[in-house]
Structures are given as C-alpha cells and as structure tokens.
Amino acid sequence: MISLTSRKKAEATSGGSAATQGRKASGPGNREIARMLATDPEAGMRAMVGAYGEAIYWHLRHILVNHDDAEDAAQNTFIKVFNSRMEIRNPDSLKVWLYRIATNEAIQLIRQRHPADVSLDTEDALPTLAELKAEAYVDYTDLEAVRLQEAIGQLPPKQRLTFTLRYYDELSYEEIAEVTGSTVGNAKVNYHIAKTKIKEYFKNNN
C-alpha cells in the first residue's frame, strides 16, 4: 500500500502547500524515473511516489474534497501507473500523464457515487461547498485558507480544476490543456475567469 496518511490535519486547510513540496529538487527527474520504471519497476515506483505522491494527493483532494476519497484515488492512480508503465513513450510528459490518470481516477470515483454520466463539463460534477464544511480534516483556525477553499468550491468543475492545477500545482497552460483535454487558450480563459470569481467571492464575503 502507498501510505499518504501521515500529513497533518492542518495541511488540509492550507489548500495543499505540500503539493509543491512533494516535488523534491534533489530526487530523480522524470527521465530517470521513467528509466527506473522500465528497468526496476519497484524502485521506479518508489521514486515516483517520492517525487509526486504529495502533489497527486492534493490534486485529488482539491477535486474530491474528502481526505479518504483522495487517499483511495491516489492509491488507484499509482497502481494504474505501475500497470501501464511500459506505455510511457515520452519521459518529459511523465508529469502530465500522471496528472491525467489521477484526474480520470477522480472522475471515475465520482461516477461510482453518482451513477449519472459525469464529466468535467457537468455542472455539479465535483463535491460541493457543504461537503468541504463537513470534512473532518479541515482545520478552521486558518480562516483565510478556509475562505479560499470556499471560494474555489463555488467554481464550475473545469474552472476549479484549471485554477488548482495552475495555482497550487504550478502547471503550465500547455500542461493544463493536456490534463483537462482542452486547449491552451481555454486553459488561460478558465484560469482568469476563476481568479476573477475568487476575488469577487472575497470581496463579497468579508
């Protein structure tokens, strides 16, 4: 099992600062990870989880809100990566490939809970603000971080995903377009609309 449960509950409210911390500068790069996955799969998976485990957890947490759901989806993501490791053709696209698998895994989990056809274009595809407020792992002592998560929770699915990929995960617009199955232009538009809506939310909810 890939354990991601050791993080502090307070981190849940921070919006996932651990996501960027998860990319360790001293660890192996994508090319080395891809090589290890092909030649020594277990070592390659350890390297990948070490480099991206926290980031993928927080990416999924932003989509699914619930800690346990994010844990399950992260676990399934890395299992699928392991089973599909020989499909890696371009090591430089490893991160985007990983985020795309994780995003699809989150959507699949939501579909299991809500049998209707769900996609990122479905208006109520992602968990609601009420579910954020009911989440036991949220620490309400950091009110600014809670307000940001509430603001993000008001966004439509594609805007929410685009914003979190850009703001928290620091993906380029090109990478976001690949993960979301969109275009670079649409990724830019979704991000800037999301940012405007978040500013409005803060302005109207002081």
Side-chain angles (χ1 to χ4, degrees), residues 59 63 120 126 155-173 176-177 179-180 182-194:
H59 170 62
I63 298 174
L120 289 176
L126 303 187
L155 298 172
K158 256 193 179 168
Q159 290 175 18
R160 190 196 307 190
L161 179 59
T162 299
F163 181 82
T164 57
L165 285 169
R166 181 71 175 169
Y167 182 79
Y168 290 122
D169 296 301
E170 300 177 357
L171 268 63
S172 68
Y173 289 117
I176 292 170
V179 171
T180 60
S182 184
T183 66
V184 173
N186 284 341
K188 290 179 179 180
V189 169
N190 279 325
Y191 177 74
H192 289 292
I193 292 176

PDB file of all heavy atoms in Angstrom, residues 59 63 120 126 155-173 176-177 179-180 182-194:
ATOM      1  N   HIS A  59      -3.793  17.260  -5.418  1.00  0.00           N
ATOM      2  CA  HIS A  59      -4.558  17.453  -6.653  1.00  0.00           C
ATOM      3  C   HIS A  59      -5.915  16.754  -6.536  1.00  0.00           C
ATOM      4  O   HIS A  59      -6.965  17.342  -6.844  1.00  0.00           O
ATOM      5  CB  HIS A  59      -3.759  16.888  -7.828  1.00  0.00           C
ATOM      6  CG  HIS A  59      -4.532  16.810  -9.106  1.00  0.00           C
ATOM      7  ND1 HIS A  59      -5.049  17.920  -9.736  1.00  0.00           N
ATOM      8  CD2 HIS A  59      -4.891  15.733  -9.881  1.00  0.00           C
ATOM      9  CE1 HIS A  59      -5.697  17.546 -10.839  1.00  0.00           C
ATOM     10  NE2 HIS A  59      -5.615  16.229 -10.941  1.00  0.00           N
ATOM     11  N   ILE A  63     -10.123  18.072  -5.985  1.00  0.00           N
ATOM     12  CA  ILE A  63     -11.254  17.615  -6.794  1.00  0.00           C
ATOM     13  C   ILE A  63     -12.316  16.941  -5.927  1.00  0.00           C
ATOM     14  O   ILE A  63     -13.507  17.223  -6.045  1.00  0.00           O
ATOM     15  CB  ILE A  63     -10.787  16.619  -7.877  1.00  0.00           C
ATOM     16  CG1 ILE A  63      -9.798  17.291  -8.833  1.00  0.00           C
ATOM     17  CG2 ILE A  63     -11.983  16.076  -8.668  1.00  0.00           C
ATOM     18  CD1 ILE A  63      -9.180  16.334  -9.840  1.00  0.00           C
ATOM     19  N   LEU A 120     -16.039  16.625 -16.660  1.00  0.00           N
ATOM     20  CA  LEU A 120     -15.643  17.940 -16.158  1.00  0.00           C
ATOM     21  C   LEU A 120     -16.573  19.039 -16.640  1.00  0.00           C
ATOM     22  O   LEU A 120     -16.551  20.150 -16.113  1.00  0.00           O
ATOM     23  CB  LEU A 120     -14.205  18.248 -16.582  1.00  0.00           C
ATOM     24  CG  LEU A 120     -13.123  17.441 -15.874  1.00  0.00           C
ATOM     25  CD1 LEU A 120     -11.759  17.775 -16.453  1.00  0.00           C
ATOM     26  CD2 LEU A 120     -13.142  17.699 -14.376  1.00  0.00           C
ATOM     27  N   LEU A 126     -18.364  17.992  -9.328  1.00  0.00           N
ATOM     28  CA  LEU A 126     -17.441  17.929  -8.206  1.00  0.00           C
ATOM     29  C   LEU A 126     -18.157  18.129  -6.878  1.00  0.00           C
ATOM     30  O   LEU A 126     -19.260  18.686  -6.825  1.00  0.00           O
ATOM     31  CB  LEU A 126     -16.352  18.992  -8.378  1.00  0.00           C
ATOM     32  CG  LEU A 126     -15.533  18.914  -9.678  1.00  0.00           C
ATOM     33  CD1 LEU A 126     -14.391  19.920  -9.636  1.00  0.00           C
ATOM     34  CD2 LEU A 126     -15.004  17.510  -9.912  1.00  0.00           C
ATOM     35  N   LEU A 155     -16.686  27.366  -7.780  1.00  0.00           N
ATOM     36  CA  LEU A 155     -16.389  27.401  -9.218  1.00  0.00           C
ATOM     37  C   LEU A 155     -16.957  26.186  -9.942  1.00  0.00           C
ATOM     38  O   LEU A 155     -17.026  25.092  -9.379  1.00  0.00           O
ATOM     39  CB  LEU A 155     -14.872  27.436  -9.425  1.00  0.00           C
ATOM     40  CG  LEU A 155     -14.122  28.646  -8.872  1.00  0.00           C
ATOM     41  CD1 LEU A 155     -12.616  28.407  -8.989  1.00  0.00           C
ATOM     42  CD2 LEU A 155     -14.532  29.916  -9.593  1.00  0.00           C
ATOM     43  N   PRO A 156     -17.315  26.343 -11.222  1.00  0.00           N
ATOM     44  CA  PRO A 156     -17.685  25.189 -12.056  1.00  0.00           C
ATOM     45  C   PRO A 156     -16.488  24.247 -12.181  1.00  0.00           C
ATOM     46  O   PRO A 156     -15.338  24.666 -12.023  1.00  0.00           O
ATOM     47  CB  PRO A 156     -18.040  25.827 -13.409  1.00  0.00           C
ATOM     48  CG  PRO A 156     -18.329  27.255 -13.103  1.00  0.00           C
ATOM     49  CD  PRO A 156     -17.449  27.617 -11.945  1.00  0.00           C
ATOM     50  N   PRO A 157     -16.741  22.966 -12.494  1.00  0.00           N
ATOM     51  CA  PRO A 157     -15.672  21.960 -12.468  1.00  0.00           C
ATOM     52  C   PRO A 157     -14.406  22.313 -13.242  1.00  0.00           C
ATOM     53  O   PRO A 157     -13.304  22.228 -12.710  1.00  0.00           O
ATOM     54  CB  PRO A 157     -16.356  20.725 -13.050  1.00  0.00           C
ATOM     55  CG  PRO A 157     -17.779  20.886 -12.660  1.00  0.00           C
ATOM     56  CD  PRO A 157     -18.055  22.352 -12.757  1.00  0.00           C
ATOM     57  N   LYS A 158     -14.528  22.727 -14.503  1.00  0.00           N
ATOM     58  CA  LYS A 158     -13.332  22.976 -15.295  1.00  0.00           C
ATOM     59  C   LYS A 158     -12.556  24.180 -14.783  1.00  0.00           C
ATOM     60  O   LYS A 158     -11.330  24.193 -14.796  1.00  0.00           O
ATOM     61  CB  LYS A 158     -13.668  23.135 -16.779  1.00  0.00           C
ATOM     62  CG  LYS A 158     -13.303  21.887 -17.575  1.00  0.00           C
ATOM     63  CD  LYS A 158     -13.313  22.082 -19.053  1.00  0.00           C
ATOM     64  CE  LYS A 158     -12.902  20.762 -19.719  1.00  0.00           C
ATOM     65  NZ  LYS A 158     -13.138  20.745 -21.152  1.00  0.00           N
ATOM     66  N   GLN A 159     -13.266  25.202 -14.326  1.00  0.00           N
ATOM     67  CA  GLN A 159     -12.584  26.367 -13.770  1.00  0.00           C
ATOM     68  C   GLN A 159     -11.882  26.001 -12.469  1.00  0.00           C
ATOM     69  O   GLN A 159     -10.752  26.436 -12.215  1.00  0.00           O
ATOM     70  CB  GLN A 159     -13.583  27.498 -13.541  1.00  0.00           C
ATOM     71  CG  GLN A 159     -14.095  28.121 -14.830  1.00  0.00           C
ATOM     72  CD  GLN A 159     -15.168  29.156 -14.597  1.00  0.00           C
ATOM     73  OE1 GLN A 159     -15.336  29.668 -13.493  1.00  0.00           O
ATOM     74  NE2 GLN A 159     -15.926  29.473 -15.642  1.00  0.00           N
ATOM     75  N   ARG A 160     -12.536  25.189 -11.653  1.00  0.00           N
ATOM     76  CA  ARG A 160     -11.925  24.773 -10.387  1.00  0.00           C
ATOM     77  C   ARG A 160     -10.657  23.953 -10.639  1.00  0.00           C
ATOM     78  O   ARG A 160      -9.621  24.183 -10.029  1.00  0.00           O
ATOM     79  CB  ARG A 160     -12.906  23.952  -9.545  1.00  0.00           C
ATOM     80  CG  ARG A 160     -12.391  23.723  -8.120  1.00  0.00           C
ATOM     81  CD  ARG A 160     -13.121  22.621  -7.362  1.00  0.00           C
ATOM     82  NE  ARG A 160     -14.563  22.761  -7.329  1.00  0.00           N
ATOM     83  CZ  ARG A 160     -15.340  22.001  -6.547  1.00  0.00           C
ATOM     84  NH1 ARG A 160     -14.799  21.080  -5.750  1.00  0.00           N
ATOM     85  NH2 ARG A 160     -16.641  22.140  -6.559  1.00  0.00           N
ATOM     86  N   LEU A 161     -10.763  22.999 -11.549  1.00  0.00           N
ATOM     87  CA  LEU A 161      -9.609  22.154 -11.845  1.00  0.00           C
ATOM     88  C   LEU A 161      -8.475  22.968 -12.459  1.00  0.00           C
ATOM     89  O   LEU A 161      -7.311  22.816 -12.073  1.00  0.00           O
ATOM     90  CB  LEU A 161     -10.024  21.026 -12.796  1.00  0.00           C
ATOM     91  CG  LEU A 161      -8.922  20.056 -13.219  1.00  0.00           C
ATOM     92  CD1 LEU A 161      -8.310  19.375 -11.994  1.00  0.00           C
ATOM     93  CD2 LEU A 161      -9.461  19.015 -14.186  1.00  0.00           C
ATOM     94  N   THR A 162      -8.803  23.844 -13.399  1.00  0.00           N
ATOM     95  CA  THR A 162      -7.783  24.678 -14.031  1.00  0.00           C
ATOM     96  C   THR A 162      -7.096  25.570 -13.012  1.00  0.00           C
ATOM     97  O   THR A 162      -5.861  25.702 -13.016  1.00  0.00           O
ATOM     98  CB  THR A 162      -8.415  25.543 -15.144  1.00  0.00           C
ATOM     99  OG1 THR A 162      -8.991  24.686 -16.137  1.00  0.00           O
ATOM    100  CG2 THR A 162      -7.374  26.433 -15.798  1.00  0.00           C
ATOM    101  N   PHE A 163      -7.885  26.175 -12.128  1.00  0.00           N
ATOM    102  CA  PHE A 163      -7.303  27.060 -11.124  1.00  0.00           C
ATOM    103  C   PHE A 163      -6.359  26.304 -10.188  1.00  0.00           C
ATOM    104  O   PHE A 163      -5.246  26.770  -9.908  1.00  0.00           O
ATOM    105  CB  PHE A 163      -8.403  27.740 -10.301  1.00  0.00           C
ATOM    106  CG  PHE A 163      -7.856  28.687  -9.271  1.00  0.00           C
ATOM    107  CD1 PHE A 163      -7.490  29.979  -9.609  1.00  0.00           C
ATOM    108  CD2 PHE A 163      -7.680  28.272  -7.953  1.00  0.00           C
ATOM    109  CE1 PHE A 163      -6.968  30.849  -8.657  1.00  0.00           C
ATOM    110  CE2 PHE A 163      -7.150  29.134  -6.999  1.00  0.00           C
ATOM    111  CZ  PHE A 163      -6.796  30.423  -7.350  1.00  0.00           C
ATOM    112  N   THR A 164      -6.779  25.147  -9.704  1.00  0.00           N
ATOM    113  CA  THR A 164      -5.944  24.416  -8.757  1.00  0.00           C
ATOM    114  C   THR A 164      -4.676  23.878  -9.430  1.00  0.00           C
ATOM    115  O   THR A 164      -3.596  23.876  -8.822  1.00  0.00           O
ATOM    116  CB  THR A 164      -6.715  23.254  -8.099  1.00  0.00           C
ATOM    117  OG1 THR A 164      -7.226  22.384  -9.113  1.00  0.00           O
ATOM    118  CG2 THR A 164      -7.877  23.771  -7.262  1.00  0.00           C
ATOM    119  N   LEU A 165      -4.784  23.460 -10.679  1.00  0.00           N
ATOM    120  CA  LEU A 165      -3.599  22.975 -11.395  1.00  0.00           C
ATOM    121  C   LEU A 165      -2.591  24.103 -11.604  1.00  0.00           C
ATOM    122  O   LEU A 165      -1.379  23.882 -11.542  1.00  0.00           O
ATOM    123  CB  LEU A 165      -3.999  22.385 -12.751  1.00  0.00           C
ATOM    124  CG  LEU A 165      -4.657  21.008 -12.721  1.00  0.00           C
ATOM    125  CD1 LEU A 165      -5.236  20.670 -14.090  1.00  0.00           C
ATOM    126  CD2 LEU A 165      -3.675  19.932 -12.280  1.00  0.00           C
ATOM    127  N   ARG A 166      -3.089  25.302 -11.847  1.00  0.00           N
ATOM    128  CA  ARG A 166      -2.196  26.445 -12.077  1.00  0.00           C
ATOM    129  C   ARG A 166      -1.694  27.037 -10.766  1.00  0.00           C
ATOM    130  O   ARG A 166      -0.498  27.288 -10.598  1.00  0.00           O
ATOM    131  CB  ARG A 166      -2.949  27.510 -12.873  1.00  0.00           C
ATOM    132  CG  ARG A 166      -2.138  28.753 -13.210  1.00  0.00           C
ATOM    133  CD  ARG A 166      -1.081  28.471 -14.234  1.00  0.00           C
ATOM    134  NE  ARG A 166      -0.399  29.697 -14.634  1.00  0.00           N
ATOM    135  CZ  ARG A 166       0.702  29.727 -15.365  1.00  0.00           C
ATOM    136  NH1 ARG A 166       1.248  28.595 -15.782  1.00  0.00           N
ATOM    137  NH2 ARG A 166       1.267  30.862 -15.693  1.00  0.00           N
ATOM    138  N   TYR A 167      -2.609  27.261  -9.821  1.00  0.00           N
ATOM    139  CA  TYR A 167      -2.274  27.977  -8.580  1.00  0.00           C
ATOM    140  C   TYR A 167      -1.497  27.099  -7.608  1.00  0.00           C
ATOM    141  O   TYR A 167      -0.470  27.521  -7.059  1.00  0.00           O
ATOM    142  CB  TYR A 167      -3.561  28.473  -7.924  1.00  0.00           C
ATOM    143  CG  TYR A 167      -3.346  29.267  -6.659  1.00  0.00           C
ATOM    144  CD1 TYR A 167      -2.967  30.603  -6.717  1.00  0.00           C
ATOM    145  CD2 TYR A 167      -3.539  28.689  -5.406  1.00  0.00           C
ATOM    146  CE1 TYR A 167      -2.775  31.340  -5.563  1.00  0.00           C
ATOM    147  CE2 TYR A 167      -3.348  29.414  -4.250  1.00  0.00           C
ATOM    148  CZ  TYR A 167      -2.971  30.738  -4.326  1.00  0.00           C
ATOM    149  OH  TYR A 167      -2.777  31.459  -3.170  1.00  0.00           O
ATOM    150  N   TYR A 168      -1.953  25.887  -7.387  1.00  0.00           N
ATOM    151  CA  TYR A 168      -1.318  25.008  -6.401  1.00  0.00           C
ATOM    152  C   TYR A 168      -0.215  24.133  -7.016  1.00  0.00           C
ATOM    153  O   TYR A 168       0.864  24.001  -6.455  1.00  0.00           O
ATOM    154  CB  TYR A 168      -2.357  24.095  -5.750  1.00  0.00           C
ATOM    155  CG  TYR A 168      -3.320  24.811  -4.840  1.00  0.00           C
ATOM    156  CD1 TYR A 168      -4.690  24.756  -5.073  1.00  0.00           C
ATOM    157  CD2 TYR A 168      -2.866  25.536  -3.738  1.00  0.00           C
ATOM    158  CE1 TYR A 168      -5.585  25.411  -4.230  1.00  0.00           C
ATOM    159  CE2 TYR A 168      -3.757  26.195  -2.901  1.00  0.00           C
ATOM    160  CZ  TYR A 168      -5.109  26.127  -3.150  1.00  0.00           C
ATOM    161  OH  TYR A 168      -5.987  26.766  -2.329  1.00  0.00           O
ATOM    162  N   ASP A 169      -0.518  23.537  -8.168  1.00  0.00           N
ATOM    163  CA  ASP A 169       0.426  22.588  -8.763  1.00  0.00           C
ATOM    164  C   ASP A 169       1.428  23.242  -9.706  1.00  0.00           C
ATOM    165  O   ASP A 169       2.384  22.602 -10.130  1.00  0.00           O
ATOM    166  CB  ASP A 169      -0.332  21.484  -9.506  1.00  0.00           C
ATOM    167  CG  ASP A 169      -1.185  20.657  -8.566  1.00  0.00           C
ATOM    168  OD1 ASP A 169      -0.631  20.069  -7.629  1.00  0.00           O
ATOM    169  OD2 ASP A 169      -2.404  20.606  -8.769  1.00  0.00           O
ATOM    170  N   GLU A 170       1.168  24.522 -10.054  1.00  0.00           N
ATOM    171  CA  GLU A 170       2.088  25.306 -10.866  1.00  0.00           C
ATOM    172  C   GLU A 170       2.345  24.680 -12.238  1.00  0.00           C
ATOM    173  O   GLU A 170       3.455  24.735 -12.765  1.00  0.00           O
ATOM    174  CB  GLU A 170       3.403  25.538 -10.117  1.00  0.00           C
ATOM    175  CG  GLU A 170       3.211  26.279  -8.807  1.00  0.00           C
ATOM    176  CD  GLU A 170       4.510  26.457  -8.024  1.00  0.00           C
ATOM    177  OE1 GLU A 170       5.546  25.939  -8.484  1.00  0.00           O
ATOM    178  OE2 GLU A 170       4.478  27.103  -6.983  1.00  0.00           O
ATOM    179  N   LEU A 171       1.318  24.064 -12.816  1.00  0.00           N
ATOM    180  CA  LEU A 171       1.436  23.531 -14.160  1.00  0.00           C
ATOM    181  C   LEU A 171       1.344  24.663 -15.173  1.00  0.00           C
ATOM    182  O   LEU A 171       0.690  25.687 -14.922  1.00  0.00           O
ATOM    183  CB  LEU A 171       0.338  22.496 -14.446  1.00  0.00           C
ATOM    184  CG  LEU A 171       0.679  21.029 -14.164  1.00  0.00           C
ATOM    185  CD1 LEU A 171       0.956  20.805 -12.685  1.00  0.00           C
ATOM    186  CD2 LEU A 171      -0.444  20.119 -14.646  1.00  0.00           C
ATOM    187  N   SER A 172       2.010  24.489 -16.304  1.00  0.00           N
ATOM    188  CA  SER A 172       1.904  25.460 -17.385  1.00  0.00           C
ATOM    189  C   SER A 172       0.531  25.327 -18.044  1.00  0.00           C
ATOM    190  O   SER A 172      -0.172  24.320 -17.872  1.00  0.00           O
ATOM    191  CB  SER A 172       3.006  25.223 -18.417  1.00  0.00           C
ATOM    192  OG  SER A 172       2.778  23.996 -19.101  1.00  0.00           O
ATOM    193  N   TYR A 173       0.155  26.342 -18.825  1.00  0.00           N
ATOM    194  CA  TYR A 173      -1.126  26.262 -19.520  1.00  0.00           C
ATOM    195  C   TYR A 173      -1.131  25.107 -20.523  1.00  0.00           C
ATOM    196  O   TYR A 173      -2.168  24.481 -20.753  1.00  0.00           O
ATOM    197  CB  TYR A 173      -1.423  27.585 -20.228  1.00  0.00           C
ATOM    198  CG  TYR A 173      -1.760  28.704 -19.284  1.00  0.00           C
ATOM    199  CD1 TYR A 173      -0.952  29.834 -19.192  1.00  0.00           C
ATOM    200  CD2 TYR A 173      -2.891  28.643 -18.467  1.00  0.00           C
ATOM    201  CE1 TYR A 173      -1.264  30.879 -18.318  1.00  0.00           C
ATOM    202  CE2 TYR A 173      -3.209  29.671 -17.589  1.00  0.00           C
ATOM    203  CZ  TYR A 173      -2.385  30.782 -17.520  1.00  0.00           C
ATOM    204  OH  TYR A 173      -2.695  31.796 -16.647  1.00  0.00           O
ATOM    205  N   ILE A 176      -1.800  22.030 -18.464  1.00  0.00           N
ATOM    206  CA  ILE A 176      -3.196  22.020 -18.020  1.00  0.00           C
ATOM    207  C   ILE A 176      -4.113  21.599 -19.163  1.00  0.00           C
ATOM    208  O   ILE A 176      -5.054  20.821 -18.978  1.00  0.00           O
ATOM    209  CB  ILE A 176      -3.602  23.406 -17.486  1.00  0.00           C
ATOM    210  CG1 ILE A 176      -2.850  23.714 -16.191  1.00  0.00           C
ATOM    211  CG2 ILE A 176      -5.115  23.480 -17.252  1.00  0.00           C
ATOM    212  CD1 ILE A 176      -3.001  25.145 -15.711  1.00  0.00           C
ATOM    213  N   ALA A 177      -3.840  22.107 -20.358  1.00  0.00           N
ATOM    214  CA  ALA A 177      -4.649  21.741 -21.520  1.00  0.00           C
ATOM    215  C   ALA A 177      -4.596  20.240 -21.773  1.00  0.00           C
ATOM    216  O   ALA A 177      -5.614  19.611 -22.079  1.00  0.00           O
ATOM    217  CB  ALA A 177      -4.169  22.506 -22.753  1.00  0.00           C
ATOM    218  N   VAL A 179      -3.931  17.859 -19.497  1.00  0.00           N
ATOM    219  CA  VAL A 179      -4.583  17.148 -18.396  1.00  0.00           C
ATOM    220  C   VAL A 179      -6.096  17.204 -18.528  1.00  0.00           C
ATOM    221  O   VAL A 179      -6.789  16.213 -18.297  1.00  0.00           O
ATOM    222  CB  VAL A 179      -4.146  17.734 -17.036  1.00  0.00           C
ATOM    223  CG1 VAL A 179      -4.988  17.148 -15.894  1.00  0.00           C
ATOM    224  CG2 VAL A 179      -2.671  17.458 -16.774  1.00  0.00           C
ATOM    225  N   THR A 180      -6.622  18.372 -18.911  1.00  0.00           N
ATOM    226  CA  THR A 180      -8.073  18.570 -18.933  1.00  0.00           C
ATOM    227  C   THR A 180      -8.699  18.260 -20.284  1.00  0.00           C
ATOM    228  O   THR A 180      -9.924  18.324 -20.425  1.00  0.00           O
ATOM    229  CB  THR A 180      -8.421  20.021 -18.552  1.00  0.00           C
ATOM    230  OG1 THR A 180      -7.806  20.926 -19.494  1.00  0.00           O
ATOM    231  CG2 THR A 180      -7.939  20.349 -17.147  1.00  0.00           C
ATOM    232  N   SER A 182      -8.306  20.043 -23.006  1.00  0.00           N
ATOM    233  CA  SER A 182      -8.772  21.324 -23.518  1.00  0.00           C
ATOM    234  C   SER A 182      -7.710  21.925 -24.429  1.00  0.00           C
ATOM    235  O   SER A 182      -6.838  21.218 -24.930  1.00  0.00           O
ATOM    236  CB  SER A 182      -9.078  22.251 -22.336  1.00  0.00           C
ATOM    237  OG  SER A 182      -9.612  23.475 -22.772  1.00  0.00           O
ATOM    238  N   THR A 183      -7.792  23.225 -24.669  1.00  0.00           N
ATOM    239  CA  THR A 183      -6.785  23.940 -25.442  1.00  0.00           C
ATOM    240  C   THR A 183      -6.053  24.910 -24.535  1.00  0.00           C
ATOM    241  O   THR A 183      -6.543  25.251 -23.443  1.00  0.00           O
ATOM    242  CB  THR A 183      -7.419  24.720 -26.600  1.00  0.00           C
ATOM    243  OG1 THR A 183      -8.255  25.761 -26.055  1.00  0.00           O
ATOM    244  CG2 THR A 183      -8.255  23.811 -27.489  1.00  0.00           C
ATOM    245  N   VAL A 184      -4.899  25.377 -24.983  1.00  0.00           N
ATOM    246  CA  VAL A 184      -4.144  26.345 -24.196  1.00  0.00           C
ATOM    247  C   VAL A 184      -4.963  27.615 -23.994  1.00  0.00           C
ATOM    248  O   VAL A 184      -5.012  28.178 -22.895  1.00  0.00           O
ATOM    249  CB  VAL A 184      -2.803  26.671 -24.882  1.00  0.00           C
ATOM    250  CG1 VAL A 184      -2.086  27.806 -24.166  1.00  0.00           C
ATOM    251  CG2 VAL A 184      -1.907  25.432 -24.920  1.00  0.00           C
ATOM    252  N   GLY A 185      -5.630  28.049 -25.056  1.00  0.00           N
ATOM    253  CA  GLY A 185      -6.456  29.253 -24.951  1.00  0.00           C
ATOM    254  C   GLY A 185      -7.566  29.096 -23.930  1.00  0.00           C
ATOM    255  O   GLY A 185      -7.808  30.000 -23.115  1.00  0.00           O
ATOM    256  N   ASN A 186      -8.257  27.952 -23.950  1.00  0.00           N
ATOM    257  CA  ASN A 186      -9.332  27.718 -22.988  1.00  0.00           C
ATOM    258  C   ASN A 186      -8.800  27.611 -21.567  1.00  0.00           C
ATOM    259  O   ASN A 186      -9.457  28.043 -20.612  1.00  0.00           O
ATOM    260  CB  ASN A 186     -10.098  26.451 -23.345  1.00  0.00           C
ATOM    261  CG  ASN A 186     -11.048  26.653 -24.521  1.00  0.00           C
ATOM    262  OD1 ASN A 186     -11.407  27.782 -24.850  1.00  0.00           O
ATOM    263  ND2 ASN A 186     -11.430  25.567 -25.160  1.00  0.00           N
ATOM    264  N   ALA A 187      -7.604  27.016 -21.418  1.00  0.00           N
ATOM    265  CA  ALA A 187      -6.999  26.922 -20.089  1.00  0.00           C
ATOM    266  C   ALA A 187      -6.735  28.312 -19.525  1.00  0.00           C
ATOM    267  O   ALA A 187      -7.001  28.578 -18.336  1.00  0.00           O
ATOM    268  CB  ALA A 187      -5.704  26.116 -20.155  1.00  0.00           C
ATOM    269  N   LYS A 188      -6.223  29.202 -20.347  1.00  0.00           N
ATOM    270  CA  LYS A 188      -5.960  30.577 -19.904  1.00  0.00           C
ATOM    271  C   LYS A 188      -7.249  31.286 -19.532  1.00  0.00           C
ATOM    272  O   LYS A 188      -7.323  31.964 -18.494  1.00  0.00           O
ATOM    273  CB  LYS A 188      -5.225  31.349 -21.004  1.00  0.00           C
ATOM    274  CG  LYS A 188      -3.796  30.907 -21.234  1.00  0.00           C
ATOM    275  CD  LYS A 188      -3.143  31.718 -22.356  1.00  0.00           C
ATOM    276  CE  LYS A 188      -1.698  31.292 -22.568  1.00  0.00           C
ATOM    277  NZ  LYS A 188      -1.051  32.067 -23.648  1.00  0.00           N
ATOM    278  N   VAL A 189      -8.270  31.132 -20.365  1.00  0.00           N
ATOM    279  CA  VAL A 189      -9.560  31.785 -20.099  1.00  0.00           C
ATOM    280  C   VAL A 189     -10.167  31.249 -18.807  1.00  0.00           C
ATOM    281  O   VAL A 189     -10.630  32.031 -17.950  1.00  0.00           O
ATOM    282  CB  VAL A 189     -10.523  31.569 -21.286  1.00  0.00           C
ATOM    283  CG1 VAL A 189     -11.944  31.999 -20.905  1.00  0.00           C
ATOM    284  CG2 VAL A 189     -10.052  32.344 -22.506  1.00  0.00           C
ATOM    285  N   ASN A 190     -10.173  29.920 -18.628  1.00  0.00           N
ATOM    286  CA  ASN A 190     -10.754  29.328 -17.420  1.00  0.00           C
ATOM    287  C   ASN A 190     -10.027  29.793 -16.165  1.00  0.00           C
ATOM    288  O   ASN A 190     -10.661  30.052 -15.133  1.00  0.00           O
ATOM    289  CB  ASN A 190     -10.714  27.797 -17.515  1.00  0.00           C
ATOM    290  CG  ASN A 190     -11.847  27.246 -18.349  1.00  0.00           C
ATOM    291  OD1 ASN A 190     -12.959  27.767 -18.350  1.00  0.00           O
ATOM    292  ND2 ASN A 190     -11.571  26.184 -19.090  1.00  0.00           N
ATOM    293  N   TYR A 191      -8.705  29.902 -16.247  1.00  0.00           N
ATOM    294  CA  TYR A 191      -7.941  30.329 -15.077  1.00  0.00           C
ATOM    295  C   TYR A 191      -8.272  31.773 -14.712  1.00  0.00           C
ATOM    296  O   TYR A 191      -8.511  32.087 -13.539  1.00  0.00           O
ATOM    297  CB  TYR A 191      -6.441  30.192 -15.328  1.00  0.00           C
ATOM    298  CG  TYR A 191      -5.608  30.683 -14.165  1.00  0.00           C
ATOM    299  CD1 TYR A 191      -5.513  29.932 -12.994  1.00  0.00           C
ATOM    300  CD2 TYR A 191      -4.949  31.897 -14.226  1.00  0.00           C
ATOM    301  CE1 TYR A 191      -4.774  30.388 -11.909  1.00  0.00           C
ATOM    302  CE2 TYR A 191      -4.208  32.360 -13.155  1.00  0.00           C
ATOM    303  CZ  TYR A 191      -4.118  31.601 -11.999  1.00  0.00           C
ATOM    304  OH  TYR A 191      -3.380  32.061 -10.930  1.00  0.00           O
ATOM    305  N   HIS A 192      -8.294  32.643 -15.692  1.00  0.00           N
ATOM    306  CA  HIS A 192      -8.522  34.056 -15.395  1.00  0.00           C
ATOM    307  C   HIS A 192      -9.962  34.321 -14.954  1.00  0.00           C
ATOM    308  O   HIS A 192     -10.201  35.178 -14.085  1.00  0.00           O
ATOM    309  CB  HIS A 192      -8.132  34.919 -16.595  1.00  0.00           C
ATOM    310  CG  HIS A 192      -6.651  34.984 -16.814  1.00  0.00           C
ATOM    311  ND1 HIS A 192      -5.807  35.624 -15.934  1.00  0.00           N
ATOM    312  CD2 HIS A 192      -5.858  34.444 -17.770  1.00  0.00           C
ATOM    313  CE1 HIS A 192      -4.564  35.518 -16.353  1.00  0.00           C
ATOM    314  NE2 HIS A 192      -4.559  34.798 -17.458  1.00  0.00           N
ATOM    315  N   ILE A 193     -10.915  33.593 -15.513  1.00  0.00           N
ATOM    316  CA  ILE A 193     -12.295  33.718 -15.030  1.00  0.00           C
ATOM    317  C   ILE A 193     -12.388  33.236 -13.587  1.00  0.00           C
ATOM    318  O   ILE A 193     -13.034  33.864 -12.737  1.00  0.00           O
ATOM    319  CB  ILE A 193     -13.263  32.928 -15.932  1.00  0.00           C
ATOM    320  CG1 ILE A 193     -13.364  33.579 -17.303  1.00  0.00           C
ATOM    321  CG2 ILE A 193     -14.643  32.837 -15.283  1.00  0.00           C
ATOM    322  CD1 ILE A 193     -14.223  32.804 -18.297  1.00  0.00           C
ATOM    323  N   ALA A 194     -11.738  32.091 -13.304  1.00  0.00           N
ATOM    324  CA  ALA A 194     -11.744  31.556 -11.931  1.00  0.00           C
ATOM    325  C   ALA A 194     -11.135  32.550 -10.965  1.00  0.00           C
ATOM    326  O   ALA A 194     -11.664  32.778  -9.861  1.00  0.00           O
ATOM    327  CB  ALA A 194     -10.980  30.233 -11.889  1.00  0.00           C
TER     328      ALA A 194
END
